[in-house]
Short mmCIF file of all heavy atoms in Angstrom, two decimals:
data_model
loop_
_atom_site.label_atom_id
_atom_site.label_comp_id
_atom_site.label_asym_id
_atom_site.label_seq_id
_atom_site.Cartn_x
_atom_site.Cartn_y
_atom_site.Cartn_z
N LEU M 886 -132.95 0.99 3.36
CA LEU M 886 -133.72 0.31 4.38
C LEU M 886 -134.45 -0.90 3.80
O LEU M 886 -134.63 -1.91 4.49
CB LEU M 886 -134.71 1.28 5.05
CG LEU M 886 -135.31 0.81 6.37
CD1 LEU M 886 -134.23 0.46 7.38
CD2 LEU M 886 -136.25 1.87 6.93
N ALA M 887 -134.82 -0.85 2.53
CA ALA M 887 -135.47 -1.98 1.87
C ALA M 887 -134.54 -3.20 1.83
O ALA M 887 -135.02 -4.34 1.88
CB ALA M 887 -135.90 -1.60 0.46
N GLU M 888 -133.24 -2.98 1.75
CA GLU M 888 -132.30 -4.10 1.76
C GLU M 888 -132.48 -4.95 3.02
O GLU M 888 -132.47 -6.17 2.97
CB GLU M 888 -130.86 -3.60 1.66
CG GLU M 888 -130.52 -2.98 0.32
CD GLU M 888 -129.11 -2.38 0.29
OE1 GLU M 888 -128.27 -2.77 1.13
OE2 GLU M 888 -128.87 -1.53 -0.58
N PHE M 889 -132.65 -4.28 4.17
CA PHE M 889 -132.86 -4.99 5.43
C PHE M 889 -134.23 -5.66 5.46
O PHE M 889 -134.34 -6.85 5.73
CB PHE M 889 -132.72 -4.03 6.62
CG PHE M 889 -133.13 -4.66 7.93
CD1 PHE M 889 -132.27 -5.51 8.60
CD2 PHE M 889 -134.39 -4.41 8.47
CE1 PHE M 889 -132.65 -6.11 9.80
CE2 PHE M 889 -134.78 -5.00 9.67
CZ PHE M 889 -133.91 -5.85 10.33
N TRP M 890 -135.29 -4.89 5.20
CA TRP M 890 -136.65 -5.41 5.38
C TRP M 890 -137.02 -6.50 4.38
O TRP M 890 -137.76 -7.41 4.72
CB TRP M 890 -137.66 -4.27 5.38
CG TRP M 890 -137.66 -3.56 6.70
CD1 TRP M 890 -137.24 -2.28 6.96
CD2 TRP M 890 -138.07 -4.10 7.96
NE1 TRP M 890 -137.35 -2.01 8.30
CE2 TRP M 890 -137.86 -3.11 8.94
CE3 TRP M 890 -138.58 -5.33 8.36
CZ2 TRP M 890 -138.16 -3.32 10.28
CZ3 TRP M 890 -138.88 -5.54 9.71
CH2 TRP M 890 -138.67 -4.54 10.64
N THR M 891 -136.53 -6.45 3.17
CA THR M 891 -136.85 -7.53 2.23
C THR M 891 -136.23 -8.84 2.70
O THR M 891 -136.84 -9.90 2.58
CB THR M 891 -136.41 -7.21 0.78
OG1 THR M 891 -135.02 -6.88 0.77
CG2 THR M 891 -137.23 -6.10 0.18
N LYS M 892 -135.03 -8.78 3.25
CA LYS M 892 -134.39 -9.98 3.78
C LYS M 892 -135.07 -10.43 5.08
O LYS M 892 -135.29 -11.62 5.29
CB LYS M 892 -132.90 -9.74 4.01
CG LYS M 892 -132.12 -9.58 2.73
CD LYS M 892 -130.68 -9.24 3.02
CE LYS M 892 -129.93 -8.93 1.72
NZ LYS M 892 -128.62 -8.34 1.99
N ALA M 893 -135.37 -9.48 5.95
CA ALA M 893 -135.99 -9.82 7.23
C ALA M 893 -137.35 -10.48 7.03
O ALA M 893 -137.69 -11.43 7.73
CB ALA M 893 -136.15 -8.56 8.08
N LEU M 894 -138.13 -9.99 6.06
CA LEU M 894 -139.47 -10.51 5.82
C LEU M 894 -139.52 -11.58 4.72
O LEU M 894 -140.59 -12.08 4.40
CB LEU M 894 -140.42 -9.36 5.46
CG LEU M 894 -140.61 -8.31 6.55
CD1 LEU M 894 -141.39 -7.12 6.02
CD2 LEU M 894 -141.28 -8.92 7.77
N ASP M 895 -138.36 -11.88 4.14
CA ASP M 895 -138.27 -12.87 3.06
C ASP M 895 -139.27 -12.56 1.95
O ASP M 895 -140.08 -13.39 1.55
CB ASP M 895 -138.47 -14.28 3.59
CG ASP M 895 -138.10 -15.34 2.55
OD1 ASP M 895 -137.27 -15.04 1.67
OD2 ASP M 895 -138.65 -16.46 2.63
N THR M 896 -139.21 -11.33 1.46
CA THR M 896 -140.09 -10.88 0.39
C THR M 896 -139.31 -9.93 -0.52
O THR M 896 -138.09 -9.91 -0.47
CB THR M 896 -141.38 -10.25 0.95
OG1 THR M 896 -142.32 -10.05 -0.10
CG2 THR M 896 -141.11 -8.96 1.70
N ILE M 908 -143.17 -3.00 0.05
CA ILE M 908 -142.57 -4.32 0.21
C ILE M 908 -143.66 -5.31 0.57
O ILE M 908 -144.53 -5.03 1.38
CB ILE M 908 -141.51 -4.29 1.33
CG1 ILE M 908 -140.36 -3.36 0.93
CG2 ILE M 908 -141.01 -5.68 1.66
CD1 ILE M 908 -139.37 -3.14 2.04
N ALA M 911 -145.38 -10.68 2.75
CA ALA M 911 -144.63 -11.94 2.74
C ALA M 911 -145.55 -13.14 2.58
O ALA M 911 -145.15 -14.15 2.04
CB ALA M 911 -143.81 -12.08 4.02
N LEU M 918 -145.44 -3.41 3.72
CA LEU M 918 -144.60 -2.45 4.41
C LEU M 918 -144.22 -1.36 3.43
O LEU M 918 -143.67 -1.64 2.37
CB LEU M 918 -143.35 -3.13 4.97
CG LEU M 918 -142.39 -2.24 5.75
CD1 LEU M 918 -143.06 -1.69 7.01
CD2 LEU M 918 -141.14 -3.02 6.14
N PHE M 935 -144.50 -2.42 15.22
CA PHE M 935 -145.23 -3.66 15.01
C PHE M 935 -144.58 -4.79 15.77
O PHE M 935 -143.41 -4.74 16.14
CB PHE M 935 -145.41 -3.99 13.52
CG PHE M 935 -144.14 -4.15 12.75
CD1 PHE M 935 -143.50 -5.36 12.68
CD2 PHE M 935 -143.60 -3.08 12.06
CE1 PHE M 935 -142.34 -5.52 11.95
CE2 PHE M 935 -142.44 -3.22 11.33
CZ PHE M 935 -141.81 -4.44 11.28
N ALA M 937 -144.05 -8.98 15.82
CA ALA M 937 -144.05 -10.23 15.07
C ALA M 937 -143.96 -11.39 16.05
O ALA M 937 -143.28 -11.29 17.07
CB ALA M 937 -142.86 -10.26 14.10
N VAL M 939 -143.06 -15.50 16.43
CA VAL M 939 -142.34 -16.60 15.77
C VAL M 939 -142.26 -17.79 16.74
O VAL M 939 -142.32 -17.60 17.96
CB VAL M 939 -140.92 -16.17 15.34
CG1 VAL M 939 -140.97 -15.08 14.28
CG2 VAL M 939 -140.10 -15.70 16.53
N GLU M 945 -134.70 -16.29 15.59
CA GLU M 945 -135.11 -15.18 14.71
C GLU M 945 -134.40 -13.89 15.09
O GLU M 945 -133.96 -13.13 14.22
CB GLU M 945 -136.63 -14.99 14.77
CG GLU M 945 -137.16 -13.96 13.81
CD GLU M 945 -136.92 -14.32 12.34
OE1 GLU M 945 -136.55 -15.46 12.01
OE2 GLU M 945 -137.12 -13.42 11.50
N ARG M 948 -130.96 -14.07 13.67
CA ARG M 948 -130.99 -13.86 12.22
C ARG M 948 -131.15 -12.38 11.89
O ARG M 948 -130.44 -11.83 11.04
CB ARG M 948 -132.13 -14.66 11.59
CG ARG M 948 -132.19 -14.58 10.07
CD ARG M 948 -133.40 -15.34 9.52
NE ARG M 948 -134.62 -14.59 9.66
CZ ARG M 948 -135.06 -13.67 8.78
NH1 ARG M 948 -134.34 -13.39 7.71
NH2 ARG M 948 -136.19 -13.04 8.98
N LEU M 949 -132.04 -11.70 12.59
CA LEU M 949 -132.28 -10.28 12.32
C LEU M 949 -131.09 -9.42 12.70
O LEU M 949 -130.75 -8.46 12.01
CB LEU M 949 -133.55 -9.82 13.03
CG LEU M 949 -134.84 -10.45 12.50
CD1 LEU M 949 -136.00 -10.20 13.45
CD2 LEU M 949 -135.15 -9.95 11.10
N VAL M 950 -130.42 -9.75 13.80
CA VAL M 950 -129.20 -9.03 14.19
C VAL M 950 -128.12 -9.22 13.13
O VAL M 950 -127.42 -8.28 12.76
CB VAL M 950 -128.73 -9.48 15.60
CG1 VAL M 950 -127.32 -8.99 15.89
CG2 VAL M 950 -129.72 -8.98 16.65
N LEU M 952 -128.62 -9.58 10.05
CA LEU M 952 -129.02 -8.76 8.89
C LEU M 952 -128.81 -7.26 9.13
O LEU M 952 -128.87 -6.48 8.19
CB LEU M 952 -130.50 -9.00 8.55
CG LEU M 952 -130.84 -10.37 7.98
CD1 LEU M 952 -132.35 -10.50 7.81
CD2 LEU M 952 -130.14 -10.59 6.64
N GLY M 953 -128.58 -6.86 10.38
CA GLY M 953 -128.34 -5.45 10.66
C GLY M 953 -129.20 -4.83 11.74
O GLY M 953 -129.06 -3.65 12.05
N ALA M 954 -130.11 -5.60 12.35
CA ALA M 954 -130.91 -5.08 13.45
C ALA M 954 -130.05 -4.99 14.71
O ALA M 954 -129.00 -5.63 14.81
CB ALA M 954 -132.11 -5.98 13.71
N ASP M 972 -134.36 -1.55 13.63
CA ASP M 972 -133.84 -1.79 12.28
C ASP M 972 -132.64 -0.87 12.05
O ASP M 972 -132.28 -0.08 12.93
CB ASP M 972 -134.94 -1.63 11.23
CG ASP M 972 -135.39 -0.19 10.98
OD1 ASP M 972 -134.73 0.76 11.45
OD2 ASP M 972 -136.42 -0.02 10.31
N PRO M 973 -131.96 -0.95 10.91
CA PRO M 973 -130.77 -0.12 10.69
C PRO M 973 -130.99 1.39 10.79
O PRO M 973 -130.06 2.13 11.04
CB PRO M 973 -130.33 -0.52 9.28
CG PRO M 973 -130.76 -1.93 9.16
CD PRO M 973 -132.11 -1.96 9.85
N PHE M 978 -139.08 -2.49 16.69
CA PHE M 978 -140.13 -3.48 16.46
C PHE M 978 -139.86 -4.64 17.42
O PHE M 978 -138.78 -4.74 17.98
CB PHE M 978 -140.13 -3.95 14.99
CG PHE M 978 -138.89 -4.64 14.53
CD1 PHE M 978 -138.82 -6.02 14.45
CD2 PHE M 978 -137.77 -3.90 14.17
CE1 PHE M 978 -137.66 -6.66 14.02
CE2 PHE M 978 -136.61 -4.53 13.72
CZ PHE M 978 -136.55 -5.92 13.64
#
Side-chain angles (χ1 to χ4, degrees):
L886 196 56
E888 292 175 21
F889 171 79
W890 283 111
T891 54
K892 291 176 186 168
L894 298 172
D895 192 26
T896 190
I908 296 173
L918 181 62
F935 60 88
V939 295
E945 186 63 12
R948 184 183 78 85
L949 293 167
V950 167
L952 291 175
D972 72 12
F978 62 101

